Amino acid sequence: SRGTPSGHQAVFPGMADESLDADAGDLVLVVHQEEHPVFRRQGDDLLMEATVSLEEVLSGFETRVVHLDGGEVLVQASAQEILQSVKKGVEQNRAGETEWDVVPNCDCPDIDAVAQADTDDTDALKRACGELKHRGYNIGVFVVQGRLAYFKEASREEVIANTVVRRGCTMYVLTQERRHRMRLCVKGDGMPTFADPSTRGDLFCLLTVKLPHGPVEQWLSLPRASQAARGQRRSKL
């Protein structure tokens, strides 16, 4: 039926092959869900992704998505919602919640460490990078080896050029692209629920906003953003 989850088994008793000395077995139908180029299923919810620049959405974000049933769904957010979310993300980054790429079984031993920590708690280590930044250290990578971690000043390019395979080590490299992620929700446009196909989950759009180079604060003033947005068309994907 509609909304059947992947892996669900439907059993049809006595519908399998028969034999002379045994009753017919059961026919078991297992549902396997195919991948979709746009949507990912998460329970009764559907997830999709979109990437835009901050300049493109200064007048708001709007896109029409062709749903699984062929109908169109409108996903949108106002410029104020987007800019407030970006501003909150920038403030979190100042607190050390920067994004890092995880590279297992690798190290950059030719780059000297500027600090060391006796922990493998990645959340604590990420916060420590923010604290080191306040002291004047621009940490571009930290390496966890066992219960120890090493902080290193380097650009992403320098880290890549000096990366070697080293089992037991994990590198956390500062992401190259400045970006902010936010989640937009369209209520009731997800998958039909298995228990009651007349009700639906929600559709979520994971929107990645690419931030401009240079001080992002210049884009975070709502009055200025509104003026800059005049005459711009809404973003279409």
Side-chain angles (χ1 to χ4, degrees), residues 135-151:
R135 300 180 192 175
Y137 295 100
N138 291 315
I139 304 301
V141 59
F142 65 89
V143 181
V144 177
Q145 183 176 15
R147 294 283 298 174
L148 296 176
Y150 305 91
F151 301 91

Side-chain angles (χ1 to χ4, degrees), residues 48-81:
M48 58 168 288
E49 297 189 19
T51 300
V52 292
S53 70
L54 183 58
E55 296 92 330
E56 288 177 311
V57 293
L58 284 176
S59 58
F61 171 80
E62 178 180 296
T63 185
R64 294 186 180 275
V65 182
V66 178
H67 208 289
L68 297 173
D69 59 6
E72 281 194 347
V73 178
L74 176 64
V75 182
Q76 60 184 347
S78 69
Q80 185 173 10
E81 289 175 310

